[in-house]
Amino acid sequence: MKFLRVCTVVGVVVAVAACSVTAAGPDGGFGNTPDASGSSTSSSGSSSSSSGSSSTSSGSSSTSSSSGSSSTSSGSSSTSSGSSSGSSSGSSSGGVADSSTDGTTSMDAASATCPDSTTFTATTYVSATKHQDKCKSTDITAFETACGDAGTQATCTTWLEANLETDASAGTACGNCIVNPNNAGAAWSDPNGEFGPNYGGCIQLTDTKNGPACAAALDNIDGCEGLECDDCSDSTTYQACATTVDGAICSTYATTVQTACTTDFADGGAATTCQPGGGTTVNPDWTYIINLICGT
């Protein structure tokens, strides 16, 4: 149940270190996983995933930094998300061309544990606010160029350093709206600091009746899966890890998201609206969600 990973942010309002990017193969996002012929089949989303919830896996670009924003350590070299349980994000391919991590990860491949077997503590959902008028179209384009489908380690790091609040700089209004320490901005960060589009926030704002409960459940299952599986070596291993933990240490959250997000993960539901990239590219998702939360 993971979103596309774009970059890892570690610590709250601290200087940005390197932002390493790795990419994994695309999956269909919100439950649509491309089959061998390239068409998409529903593995969760409106139907069910191995855990029965709507997976929107991310499958993709993990980048690590130490920028100022939510969560704590990470920089895992996980490149995928795509978990099987149900929520994960939307999109997988999206971040950058295939590249390897830069050594800023918290564990190297030899010492990484997948699953991690660390107990996840549920978070209190902080509602997103729409149309904050912080980002112009040029700001969004600059962010996507740096950290989106064609972003690289260097370009994303540069953008983070220039736009997020640190001890030395206030950053920019748009940057601090996209990456919000409370996960109420246009980006959402897991407990290890890896972030992607805030699909939960988008669902909350799109479906005012069912969306808030779905968003909170989505954040918790994604957070649990991320904590357990971010250090997996590739998207295939991540998927297997997520399936395992959804039936074990993350089972409570996997069950909750199935119930809370039934309407929003159904065909044509809020999850579809929030993932215009269809799980194969992330820039359209970023554009939509940044405009919804940080635009006019």
Side-chain angles (χ1 to χ4, degrees):
M1 233 174 194
K2 293 315 298 176
F3 297 108
L4 165 71
R5 305 317 185 79
V6 175
C7 195
T8 300
V9 288
V10 180
V12 179
V13 191
V14 296
V16 177
C19 182
S20 74
V21 181
T22 57
D27 57 52
F30 286 118
N32 296 318
T33 303
D35 62 22
S37 69
S39 62
S40 206
T41 59
S42 174
S43 61
S44 76
S46 53
S47 65
S48 69
S49 70
S50 59
S51 77
S53 56
S54 83
S55 141
T56 54
S57 88
S58 99
S60 134
S61 76
S62 126
T63 61
S64 60
S65 88
S66 54
S67 105
S69 130
S70 62
S71 110
T72 59
S73 85
S74 135
S76 75
S77 60
S78 122
T79 60
S80 103
S81 70
S83 75
S84 56
S85 64
S87 55
S88 129
S89 110
S91 125
S92 66
S93 72
V96 286
D98 192 20
S99 65
S100 61
T101 55
D102 66 351
T104 61
T105 58
S106 56
M107 292 191 230
D108 60 27
S111 60
T113 303
C114 170
D116 184 77
S117 298
T118 299
T119 301
F120 171 74
T121 300
T123 58
T124 300
Y125 182 75
V126 178
S127 297
T129 301
K130 65 167 59 175
H131 303 313
Q132 298 178 44
D133 196 17
K134 303 293 186 183
C135 296
K136 297 179 172 59
S137 60
T138 52
D139 297 323
I140 298 172
T141 298
F143 169 76
E144 290 173 356
T145 299
C147 297
D149 288 317
T152 66
Q153 172 183 327
T155 58
C156 197
T157 298
T158 298
W159 186 91
L160 290 168
E161 290 174 335
N163 289 277
L164 298 192
E165 181 180 359
T166 67
D167 292 337
S169 170
T172 64
C174 181
N176 291 319
C177 182
I178 292 174
V179 184
N180 178 290
N182 294 318
N183 268 337
W188 179 86
S189 174
D190 77 6
N192 287 327
E194 295 191 32
F195 75 81
N198 187 358
Y199 295 100
C202 181
I203 291 170
Q204 169 230 314
L205 294 170
T206 302
D207 175 9
T208 56
K209 179 181 179 181
N210 303 298
C214 176
L218 178 63
D219 283 4
N220 280 327
I221 185 59
D222 282 346
C224 188
E225 289 178 353
L227 184 65
E228 300 304 320
C229 304
D230 278 349
D231 288 310
C232 296
S233 59
D234 54 42
S235 61
T236 300
T237 307
Y238 186 100
Q239 290 242 20
C241 174
T243 299
T244 297
V245 300
D246 284 351
I249 197 168
C250 299
S251 61
T252 298
Y253 307 109
T255 299
T256 300
V257 80
Q258 291 176 47
T259 302
C261 295
T262 299
T263 300
D264 294 312
F265 285 156
D267 289 343
T272 302
T273 301
C274 293
Q275 193 186 29
T280 60
T281 179
V282 75
N283 279 3
D285 303 359
W286 277 123
T287 299
Y288 184 82
I289 294 174
I290 295 172
N291 272 315
L292 177 66
I293 295 175
C294 300
T296 54

